[in-house]
Amino acid sequence: RRLPPQSERLTPALVDVFVKGGRKKGKTNVAEAEAIALYLRQELDDTSSPDSLSNRSATVGILSLMGIEQTRVIRTKILEKLTDEQLAKH
C-alpha cells in the first residue's frame, strides 16, 4: 500500500515557505537551508499535540531542485539542529 490511511496522513503534505533574505550564491542558498533546519527543529520539538510530528512515527523528506551542493548544505544544517534521537526517528 503506497499511501497511508487518511488518519495517518500529514496535512499539508507540502509546505511552501518564503525565506526572507534568502539569496542564491553560487549553487547554494544558505538562508534557505537554515530555515528548513529550523522549521524541522520546531516541528520535532513540539510535543504539545498528539498529532505533532514529534509524536508520530512519520518520516520526513526534503526535496531540493538546486542540486547536490544545496542538498549538502541542507544536510549539514539539519545535522547541526536536530538531536540524534530525532534523526533516528524521522
Side-chain angles (χ1 to χ4, degrees):
R1 187 171 174 169
R2 187 162 185 202
L3 292 174
Q6 184 71 26
S7 62
E8 294 178 10
R9 292 184 193 166
L10 298 176
T11 45
L14 296 174
V15 178
D16 293 327
V17 178
F18 176 76
V19 178
K20 189 175 181 179
R23 296 278 185 262
K24 185 176 176 184
K25 184 176 180 182
K27 294 185 178 185
T28 62
N29 184 332
V30 176
E32 177 186 74
E34 183 74 22
I36 290 168
L38 286 173
Y39 175 81
L40 276 178
R41 179 65 189 250
Q42 290 169 350
E43 288 294 312
L44 294 175
D45 281 347
D46 177 16
T47 58
S48 61
S49 166
D51 291 332
S52 69
L53 191 54
S54 63
N55 292 325
R56 301 179 78 163
S57 61
T59 58
V60 176
I62 298 169
L63 301 176
S64 174
L65 303 179
M66 290 179 59
I68 191 69
E69 294 85 357
Q70 181 68 4
T71 302
R72 288 183 179 129
V73 174
I74 293 169
R75 184 176 190 276
T76 299
K77 295 296 181 183
I78 288 172
L79 290 172
E80 290 172 0
K81 303 279 185 229
L82 301 183
T83 66
D84 291 340
E85 181 182 339
Q86 288 171 324
L87 289 167
K89 184 176 179 182
H90 301 283

